[in-house]
Amino acid sequence: MSDTNAKSVSYVRDTMLDEQTPPLAEVGVIKWVRENLFSGPLNTVLTIISLYVVYWIVSHIGPWLVNGIWDAGSLTECRAIRNATLGEGASAACFAVITERWPQLIFGFYPRDAYWRPVLALVVFLLGIAPILFDSLPRKMLVGTVATPFVMYMLLWGGSIWGPIVIGLGFIVGVFAFRFLAAINALLGTIGAILGPILFWLLLAGPLISVLNGATTIGLPFISSKEFGGFTLSVVIGISAIILSLPLGILLALGRQSDLPIIKYSAVVFIEVIRGVPLIVWLFTASLLLNYFLPPGTNFDLMLRVIIMVTLFSAAYIAEVVRGGLAALPKGQYEAADALGLDYWKSMRLIILPQALKISIPGIVNTFIGLFKDTTLVVFIGLLDPIGLAGAIRASTEWNGVYWELFLFIGIMFFIFCYSMGRYSQYLEKKLQREHR
Amino acid sequence: MKKTVLFGALTVTGLVAGVASAATLDDVKARGTLNCGVSTGLAGFSVPDANGVWKGFDVGVCRALAAAVLGDPMAVEFVPTTGQTRFTALASGEIDILARNTTWTFSRDVDLKFDFVGVNYYDGQGFMVPKALGVSSAKELDGATVCIQTGTTTELNLADFFRTNNISYEPVPIETNAEAQQQYLAGACDVYTTDASGLAATRATFENPGDHILLPEIISKEPLGPLVRHGDNEWADITRWTLNALIAAEELGVTSANVAELAAAPTDNPEINRLLGSEGELGAMLGLAPNWALNAIAAGGNYGELFEQNIGESTPIGLARGLNAKWTEGGLIYSPPFR
């Protein structure tokens, strides 16, 4: 057989060709560049324009950043150092303002020897919220989570330890009232759970606190809200509002879908009124208008007023986001829950809300990120958040004239907070994904 | 400085009856601190330093008042206020005195129901231009682009000035002084106009202050002073005469350095004796300790010292006394006699 072939064909290759390296234009960087950046005349032009823009930005900002001066006592000194080392008129940032003022930008007017308190409060917060965020952690940590708000209050504001403890006792009273009364009747249990703590706080808490204070005083030095500023202020307002507005928003969303007209229309009016007016107006209301409604001489903490307003504002948005999630569920889910004989709260808790909230996660986190950034609006009512402090720092004779450096620092700090929230939301979405992939 | 009065007027009119005019002096004494409204940060007038301690010319007035009333210049709680919140904060009783370089105007004094207790700085609106523009008078600014803070009386003054002189301009609206500096230096406008003190402070921060000049025209009157609520005349008297004590002290040569010595024994000058409490009963008439003025002057010095330390020619802001020189030297700073 081989003979016939040998006769009719002049040459037969009997070994395989060695593997050749592919042509240069078809591999690696060059291929990627050719396919993605220079695949046609239009893309080539766009690439060249983009490259020029990138070059222009880097060549203008790069030296300014790299030459940044970190150690100087004032802007004038910065300029003198720059003239001595880089020559007159060179571009150099004066980051010395950050070196000198970063504690102020972070902690505001908080007493210097108490800086550990907000830091520890943040650690406590992260530990407290961890079991909620990550379900791989032991469930026992949730006990600590319940205590977290009270510990944080103690750390941030200080004062006698008995105040937060007695307020916390009120919640325990509520739990017990529910346990005992719910055994008799579910509705009675709910009423008891609401009225019990309120009666406890109104009637018993005050005397109890003063008795305990009289017995022994344990606690940290009290630090008033006026001392809060910078990122401490932003984070405290942001975190409080985020944590309070989520449950409130969910309740509002359920209320809006309720069959009971009073509940339904109260929720609708609340949401539409709060949402229909800009946040800045609500902040002005909190800081200016409330002063007139309150009896003269009452000192209703401005920061607390702001937290309440921001909470209500974001609760209205959360409510609408959650309502979107509720509306996205097929009607069959509601009917299936009813068919199982679950009561309203059980069907919501076990069937409807887990699905609706999962759909709403991106929207909820989006609202939270917006809310956190909106805390900078408090600058307009005279609270010194990072932006307000940047203005105050710039007003000092040493740093008058510094501009971008402060905003850069503030921007990076906000980016870190908001980006982490965004990443967590993506992690959560991935983890909860149950649909066909 | 002169942010629109509208917001303040709207909210303040809601307060027809006014906050009960309980004696502010008693409140302050009971509280142990003075609540003083200042700006959220204005070079030379009220600025927190790196340790969060407020400093400045307006702050000095509050410290002197706290020293006079409570004997401790540090017993002041500073409340930062914005142009919008300042009047409500005062009217609602959140602060006891507003020292936030606020211009004394008819409507603020009468309609908003406040009492201006005096003037601690005579300001006026001026113009700054680059030297390269070759302009020596504001009347030559025909067709210029002007950086101006929106919603302030400077905007209205500017319009008036250009209209009366029959020349045109193009406004470049900006929000804050910091933004104005950037815009002006970037060449977005030929002229920057605001209070002359603000212009001087801004120019001092430039890399080359010599390249810019302040034009000689001052086109408005801006008497800046501390103010208190209507209806508590005792408290208004205390604040007015504390400010006057600082002014009189400069005139009489009483400084923070020699005040203790002068007060220790009666001097030859009866007015100094009355001021410092070694003669007469002036302190008791105000309801204060006899050494009230001594404490006020010791807190930060007399008017001239406060001026020099915070905004005077030895500071980077470098303002000359000008109109704010004492009356014996051709200025307007004048205190009624202490007798």
Side-chain angles (χ1 to χ4, degrees):
Chain A
M1 271 177 63
S2 59
D3 289 346
T4 48
N5 269 348
K7 273 169 194 161
S8 56
V9 182
S10 59
Y11 172 72
V12 172
R13 187 167 182 98
D14 51 9
T15 54
M16 289 290 284
L17 268 173
D18 286 338
E19 262 184 31
Q20 299 289 314
T21 50
L24 214 54
E26 289 299 325
V27 287
V29 183
I30 293 176
K31 176 180 182 219
W32 187 90
V33 165
R34 201 167 58 93
E35 282 185 358
N36 291 292
L37 299 181
F38 299 100
S39 60
L42 177 67
N43 284 344
T44 308
V45 170
L46 286 179
T47 299
I48 290 172
I49 293 175
S50 314
L51 278 179
Y52 177 73
V53 170
V54 170
Y55 164 78
W56 189 87
I57 292 173
V58 169
S59 66
H60 277 73
I61 299 178
W64 182 78
L65 278 177
V66 174
N67 294 338
I69 293 157
W70 290 89
D71 192 17
S74 69
L75 184 61
T76 333
E77 248 178 67
C78 253
R79 285 174 179 155
I81 293 173
R82 183 201 62 191
N83 289 347
T85 54
L86 303 163
E88 195 93 14
S91 168
C94 184
F95 291 119
V97 63
I98 312 286
T99 321
E100 190 188 292
R101 294 296 185 110
W102 71 266
Q104 201 167 43
L105 280 168
I106 304 235
F107 297 107
F109 296 96
Y110 216 81
R112 213 156 254 244
D113 51 1
Y115 277 175
W116 61 272
R117 284 165 56 173
V119 174
L120 189 60
L122 186 65
V123 173
V124 168
F125 168 74
L126 292 176
L127 283 178
I129 198 140
I132 299 179
L133 297 185
F134 305 102
D135 61 0
S136 54
L137 290 169
R139 293 297 87 194
K140 275 183 188 157
M141 280 177 77
L142 282 170
V143 178
T145 306
V146 175
T148 304
F150 304 101
V151 177
M152 282 179 72
Y153 176 86
M154 263 314 288
L155 284 169
L156 287 169
W157 280 272
S160 160
I161 198 168
W162 299 116
I165 286 184
V166 171
I167 299 290
L169 272 179
F171 287 105
I172 297 176
V173 166
V175 171
F176 276 103
F178 182 77
R179 285 261 170 90
F180 287 123
L181 294 175
I184 308 166
N185 179 321
L187 183 65
L188 206 60
T190 317
I191 295 172
I194 296 170
L195 278 186
I198 292 178
L199 287 176
F200 176 81
W201 287 324
L202 285 181
L203 302 176
L204 277 178
L208 193 57
I209 291 175
S210 43
V211 166
L212 285 169
N213 274 339
T216 110
T217 321
I218 314 169
L220 291 163
F222 181 71
I223 292 172
S224 92
S225 297
K226 280 182 184 153
E227 316 285 321
F228 284 62
F231 278 99
T232 309
L233 182 76
S234 293
V235 171
V236 168
I237 295 179
I239 288 182
S240 322
I242 283 174
I243 289 177
L244 295 172
S245 69
L246 184 58
L248 191 58
I250 294 174
L251 285 180
L252 279 171
L254 293 178
R256 197 167 182 167
Q257 295 220 319
S258 167
D259 296 331
L260 304 170
I262 294 184
I263 295 183
K264 180 176 178 179
Y265 289 111
S266 323
V268 169
V269 168
F270 178 89
I271 291 171
E272 296 303 337
V273 168
I274 296 274
R275 207 166 51 136
V277 178
L279 177 57
I280 188 79
V281 173
W282 289 119
L283 290 178
F284 274 125
T285 310
S287 89
L288 303 180
L289 223 52
L290 277 183
N291 277 347
Y292 294 120
F293 298 143
L294 297 168
T298 34
N299 193 5
F300 185 19
D301 197 283
L302 178 59
M303 194 164 152
L304 185 62
R305 284 185 259 165
V306 167
I307 290 178
I308 293 173
M309 280 303 176
V310 176
T311 303
L312 296 183
F313 189 77
S314 95
Y317 276 88
I318 295 284
E320 286 301 280
V321 171
V322 173
R323 193 170 67 96
L326 291 171
L329 287 192
K331 199 154 185 279
Q333 296 290 328
Y334 293 87
E335 286 166 354
D338 289 344
L340 284 174
L342 298 176
D343 67 16
Y344 178 78
W345 289 111
K346 270 190 184 145
S347 71
M348 285 300 146
R349 192 160 55 85
L350 299 173
I351 297 189
I352 307 298
L353 279 180
Q355 302 182 66
L357 288 181
K358 193 190 75 185
I359 301 172
S360 319
I361 288 170
I364 291 177
V365 175
N366 195 26
T367 310
F368 284 161
I369 290 177
L371 157 73
F372 185 60
K373 289 187 294 182
D374 280 351
T375 58
T376 52
L377 285 177
V378 298
V379 70
F380 291 110
I381 54 169
L383 288 179
L384 290 177
D385 80 321
I387 305 278
L389 272 173
I393 290 170
R394 214 181 294 112
S396 66
T397 45
E398 297 93 45
W399 301 114
N400 198 332
V402 162
Y403 196 74
W404 300 108
E405 291 85 345
L406 288 167
F407 284 136
L408 192 67
F409 177 74
I410 295 168
I412 290 175
M413 291 293 287
F414 268 106
F415 180 79
I416 293 173
F417 282 110
C418 295
Y419 188 69
S420 347
M421 278 194 260
R423 293 306 298 184
Y424 175 72
S425 130
Q426 288 189 352
Y427 156 84
L428 201 60
E429 275 169 61
K430 262 198 202 118
K431 201 186 68 169
L432 296 179
Q433 200 161 35
R434 292 283 180 275
E435 281 88 25
H436 312 289
R437 287 162 221 203
Chain B
M1 254 158 282
K2 304 156 256 73
K3 285 267 161 98
T4 176
V5 181
L6 181 68
F7 205 99
L10 272 178
T11 43
V12 172
T13 41
L15 177 87
V16 181
V19 175
S21 52
T24 313
L25 177 62
D26 296 339
D27 290 350
V28 171
K29 278 183 172 165
R31 206 188 299 131
T33 54
L34 174 76
N35 288 339
C36 169
V38 291
S39 80
T40 48
L42 180 71
F45 286 86
S46 51
V47 187
D49 70 3
N51 298 316
V53 181
W54 288 84
K55 300 247 164 79
F57 191 58
D58 281 340
V59 168
V61 172
C62 283
R63 294 220 187 274
L65 183 61
V69 175
L70 302 165
D72 177 8
M74 300 311 278
V76 190
E77 196 78 68
F78 287 100
V79 179
T81 57
T82 68
Q84 273 84 26
T85 62
R86 56 180 164 180
F87 295 125
T88 331
L90 182 59
S92 67
E94 195 183 337
I95 53 178
D96 305 311
I97 177 175
L98 180 67
R100 192 194 177 278
N101 62 336
T102 302
T103 308
W104 187 349
T105 66
F106 181 93
S107 60
R108 285 171 182 174
D109 199 340
V110 178
D111 195 28
L112 294 187
K113 305 228 180 301
F114 295 127
D115 279 342
F116 282 82
V117 298
V119 174
N120 69 341
Y121 190 86
Y122 287 95
D123 215 335
Q125 188 177 343
F127 296 97
M128 176 163 64
V129 294
K131 231 177 205 166
L133 204 63
V135 173
S136 61
S137 156
K139 290 177 182 155
E140 299 166 25
L141 288 173
D142 196 9
T145 50
V146 184
C147 274
I148 177 123
Q149 269 171 285
T150 50
T152 63
T153 49
T154 47
E155 204 176 5
L156 308 172
N157 297 334
L158 181 75
D160 287 353
F161 175 79
F162 275 77
R163 205 179 59 197
T164 32
N165 288 294
N166 209 11
I167 48 181
S168 70
Y169 71 101
E170 196 182 322
V172 178
I174 42 107
E175 197 54 46
T176 62
N177 186 48
E179 192 192 336
Q181 288 182 22
Q182 294 292 315
Q183 297 281 25
Y184 174 76
L185 285 177
C189 48
D190 304 323
V191 190
Y192 177 34
T193 179
T194 186
D195 286 350
S197 63
L199 286 181
T202 303
R203 187 176 70 155
T205 68
F206 288 173
E207 282 213 67
N208 304 306
D211 292 352
H212 304 268
I213 52 167
L214 303 186
L215 297 179
E217 282 87 355
I218 298 291
I219 63 166
S220 72
K221 289 189 286 188
E222 310 281 353
L224 311 177
L227 55 155
V228 296
R229 275 182 298 281
H230 245 354
D232 187 349
N233 293 352
E234 286 75 22
W235 180 245
D237 284 344
I238 291 169
T239 49
R240 177 176 305 117
W241 285 95
T242 305
L243 180 60
N244 284 339
L246 301 180
I247 294 170
E250 186 189 14
E251 194 183 324
L252 296 169
V254 180
T255 67
S256 56
N258 66 11
V259 65
E261 189 190 325
L262 289 173
T267 61
D268 303 338
N269 186 335
E271 185 151 18
I272 294 183
N273 295 345
R274 283 195 295 271
L275 177 67
L276 299 180
S278 49
E279 202 179 302
E281 293 275 299
L282 295 188
M285 291 181 207
L286 284 173
L288 300 177
N291 62 352
W292 64 283
L294 162 74
N295 288 339
I297 297 161
N302 62 35
Y303 180 87
E305 286 176 89
L306 278 177
F307 195 102
E308 272 317 306
Q309 284 157 19
N310 294 303
I311 49 181
E313 285 177 315
S314 60
T315 67
I317 294 168
L319 293 174
R321 286 295 287 270
L323 280 181
N324 299 294
K326 54 189 174 189
W327 64 285
T328 49
E329 289 173 5
L332 293 173
I333 296 296
Y334 181 99
S335 160
F338 277 75
R339 66 166 63 249

